[in-house]
């Protein structure tokens, strides 16, 4: 849960800075981060056979998916922009 809460804080704190660079950059960065966590969970499950650890990492990746969707929707609607 700490990773998910910290990810929400990261989205909130870096939103305007990253959005100034490119409109879709925040969604892409957080999507790649979630994909990395998912890949780490699958790697530990298949290569190291750490079932409990892998399940925990995969659950964390699953909890981060709604955050990515909300970030994408917010960017598509234009909320969070300084007008």
């Amino acid at each position: 849960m700490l990773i998910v809460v910290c990810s929400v804080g990261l989205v909130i704190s870096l939103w305007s800075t990253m959005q100034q660079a490119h409109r879709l950059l925040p969604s892409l960065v957080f999507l790649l981060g979630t994909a990395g966590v998912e890949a780490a969970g699958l790697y530990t499950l298949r290569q190291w056979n750490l079932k409990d650890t892998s399940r925990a990492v995969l659950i964390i990746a699953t909890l981060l998916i709604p955050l990515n969707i909300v970030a994408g929707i917010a960017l598509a609607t234009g909320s969070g922009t300084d007008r």
Side-chain angles (χ1 to χ4, degrees):
M1 289 306 293
L2 184 62
I3 292 173
V4 174
V5 171
C6 290
S7 296
V8 170
L10 182 66
V11 168
I12 292 169
S13 66
L14 294 177
W15 190 264
S16 64
T17 305
M18 289 177 32
Q19 194 173 15
Q20 289 173 359
H22 192 273
R23 184 174 176 199
L24 297 177
L25 184 63
S27 293
L28 183 62
V29 168
F30 298 121
L31 177 67
L32 290 175
T34 302
V37 172
E38 181 82 22
L42 291 174
Y43 179 79
T44 56
L45 181 63
R46 292 183 183 158
Q47 297 296 324
W48 295 344
N49 202 20
L50 300 172
K51 292 181 182 178
D52 293 332
T53 304
S54 300
R55 285 183 188 146
V57 172
L58 291 171
I59 288 171
I60 290 170
T62 303
L63 291 173
L64 288 174
I65 290 172
L67 179 65
N68 289 326
I69 292 172
V70 168
I73 290 171
L75 281 173
T77 60
S79 67
T81 59
D82 296 328
R83 294 180 182 194

